[in-house]
Amino acid sequence: MKDHRGSERSERETEYHELVTRRRPGMLRTAVLLAAGDSHLAEDLVQTTLTRLYLNWTAFRRAGNADAYIRRSLVNALIDERRRVWRRREQPVADIPDRAPAETAADPAGQAIRQALRELPPRMRAAVVFRYFHDLDVAETAHALGCSEGTVKSQTSRGLDRLRTALESTVTPVPEGAKS
């Protein structure tokens, strides 16, 4: 395959292109969950991860478990993004003026879940996402996060408790006479 300069594309570039084509959609789904529904942040996380994969291609190929390496890279990108100084000065607002109203009101349950996820710290959110969205076991999640299995268990337990509490406060009780 020839690139824009007319020379043969290297094996590394070909493999990288195939990886991006094949795995980017799944990476984006995971990133959206890690970013608690923030599609712009999710795109940034995927782009950062893909850039790091290209720059560290040799280490990626040696890793042996591409899925685990990619998950770990996404979490690291999220944590790095949250540490940025300018991010700490950002003030979130309830309504974003340039977003279409239908986008925010279309799925109230999904909106509540995204908001509850947003309130979790990044590593706790990642533990919950990997355990319950990707259905990874405790050991796989620990490997993806670079922590102990005990940490995964405690982070997951605390994360689920916080999600339950946040979601219970958003649920409207059904009146007694309306139950069937």
Side-chain angles (χ1 to χ4, degrees):
M1 184 179 290
K2 298 209 181 238
D3 67 12
H4 68 280
R5 294 177 305 264
S7 62
E8 290 295 319
R9 185 184 284 195
S10 73
E11 181 181 339
R12 171 185 172 164
E13 289 171 344
T14 301
E15 289 176 0
Y16 177 77
H17 178 74
E18 290 171 2
L19 174 121
V20 171
T21 302
R22 191 174 62 254
R23 293 187 182 253
R24 188 179 183 288
M27 291 172 69
L28 190 55
R29 284 189 297 275
T30 299
V32 167
L33 289 168
L34 292 173
D38 183 339
S39 61
H40 299 292
L41 176 58
E43 287 283 352
D44 289 346
L45 297 177
V46 169
Q47 189 60 41
T48 299
T49 297
L50 290 172
T51 301
R52 289 177 180 172
L53 287 175
Y54 185 79
L55 294 173
N56 299 305
W57 190 252
T58 304
F60 172 70
R61 289 191 62 203
R62 274 193 312 239
N65 186 341
D67 291 330
Y69 194 99
I70 289 169
R71 284 190 295 265
R72 178 78 179 265
S73 294
L74 282 168
V75 170
N76 289 344
L78 175 67
I79 291 167
D80 291 347
E81 182 70 23
R82 294 296 178 196
R83 288 180 179 157
R84 292 181 186 216
V85 174
W86 65 266
R87 171 90 52 198
R88 284 185 245 147
R89 287 182 277 156
E90 259 185 9
Q91 296 298 317
V93 294
D95 294 315
I96 300 173
D98 62 345
R99 184 177 285 179
E103 184 180 331
T104 57
D107 183 15
Q111 186 70 10
I113 291 169
R114 285 187 293 277
Q115 181 58 43
L117 279 170
R118 214 172 277 122
E119 294 172 10
L120 297 180
R123 281 194 177 273
M124 187 179 289
R125 186 182 323 141
V128 170
V129 167
F130 289 158
R131 289 283 290 128
Y132 297 101
F133 177 76
H134 283 293
D135 201 26
L136 299 182
D137 64 24
V138 173
E140 291 168 323
T141 302
H143 182 265
L145 297 176
C147 64
S148 71
E149 291 182 19
T151 299
V152 169
K153 291 175 185 178
S154 66
Q155 290 290 297
T156 303
S157 176
R158 289 179 187 142
L160 290 175
D161 286 344
R162 288 169 104 176
L163 288 173
R164 271 188 216 100
T165 301
L167 292 173
E168 284 172 358
S169 68
T170 63
V171 174
T172 307
V174 177
E176 217 33 61
K179 293 180 182 177
S180 46

